[in-house]
Amino acid sequence: MLTQLASLATMQLVVNVTYAIPMALGLRLIGVPGWILWGTLAAVTRFIPYLGPMLSALFPITLAFAVDPGWNMLLVTVTLIVVLELVSSNIVEPVLYGTSTGQSTLSLIAAATFWTAIWGPVGLVLSTPLTVCHLVIGRNLPQLQFLDTLLGSTPVLDVPTRIYQRLIADDPEEAIEIASNAIDDSLVPEFYDLYGIEVLRQASHDFLTHARAEHRLRVVMAWT
């Protein structure tokens, strides 16, 4: 659990720095005074979920509005912050958080909503660490494994089962997509050894347990 929390804190620091450095350099090019201060403040305040980005944007936007008699500095500053926020929220954060904690994006949003409703701003700050704790507990205690299923980003079904499920659902396109992604991670012979034989084994098991004939026929035709 401590390892997961340390990984989360490290990834949060990386995300904050990748946001703060371009922000500080952009503010310098725009001409906003105190650009080093605002970049540093952004790196610190973004540790606060959801409220942190708003706080980090408030000060440079207000200062740009105050020092420039026109609208150019204000508009460029707002554009810079919006672009950085979009890149950070939609590219940097999902990639880094997904690889470091194994949480799904939906679970992060749901946890933030839940803990904020219970504890207010304190719950908002603690929502991500608490979710990581529950995720680690679910991965290590079989009795609470459902927490890993609910909060984690790992697919519940393994690759052969997902392929077989798509085949019997008459969706060969998605089955081929799953198989193609698995082949990209390995060689074709390895794919058949690891996954293809298992898919045929599941079809054989359904045959022996008298599964519906059309399902068996559909799988055999699609796989051959």
Side-chain angles (χ1 to χ4, degrees):
M1 184 179 298
L2 293 177
T3 303
Q4 288 280 350
L5 292 176
S7 177
L8 174 64
T10 302
M11 288 301 103
Q12 179 69 65
L13 178 61
V14 172
V15 170
N16 292 357
V17 171
T18 57
Y19 179 93
I21 292 177
M23 177 181 177
L25 295 177
L27 293 176
R28 181 184 181 185
L29 293 175
I30 295 170
V32 177
W35 54 276
I36 296 179
L37 174 62
W38 308 132
T40 304
L41 184 66
V44 174
T45 58
R46 286 177 65 86
F47 277 101
I48 305 174
Y50 306 102
L51 293 179
M54 291 187 289
L55 292 175
S56 66
L58 177 63
F59 295 102
I61 289 176
T62 303
L63 188 60
F65 175 77
V67 300
D68 187 9
W71 295 95
N72 290 336
M73 182 178 292
L74 174 63
L75 294 177
V76 176
T77 301
V78 171
T79 301
L80 170 67
I81 292 174
V82 169
V83 171
L84 289 177
E85 190 62 39
L86 289 175
V87 172
S88 180
S89 300
N90 295 285
I91 299 177
V92 178
E93 291 184 12
V95 171
L96 293 181
Y97 285 153
T99 56
S100 63
T101 66
Q103 291 180 261
S104 66
T105 303
L106 181 61
S107 69
L108 289 172
I109 297 174
T113 304
F114 175 77
W115 293 112
T116 302
I118 294 179
W119 291 339
V122 176
L124 180 62
V125 174
L126 297 178
S127 61
T128 301
L130 287 173
T131 306
V132 172
C133 292
H134 286 92
L135 183 63
V136 174
I137 291 173
R139 288 178 177 174
N140 291 277
L141 294 180
Q143 298 86 347
L144 299 176
Q145 191 173 4
F146 68 93
L147 292 174
D148 185 23
T149 302
L150 289 174
L151 303 175
S153 58
T154 304
V156 178
L157 302 177
D158 57 19
V159 172
T161 304
R162 291 164 59 201
I163 294 175
Y164 183 62
Q165 191 271 339
R166 288 294 85 203
L167 291 175
I168 63 176
D170 197 18
D171 188 6
E173 291 80 9
E174 187 170 350
I176 292 173
E177 181 180 352
I178 297 173
S180 299
N181 292 335
I183 292 174
D184 291 340
D185 297 332
S186 62
L187 299 176
V188 174
E190 294 178 354
F191 168 78
Y192 281 107
D193 290 339
L194 295 174
Y195 307 124
I197 294 176
E198 177 61 21
V199 173
L200 294 177
R201 188 197 67 77
Q202 294 186 20
S204 176
H205 177 268
D206 280 353
F207 176 82
L208 295 175
T209 55
H210 307 289
R212 289 194 296 172
E214 61 269 24
H215 281 181
R216 300 196 305 269
L217 180 61
R218 190 179 299 151
V219 171
V220 173
M221 291 180 62
W223 199 247
T224 56

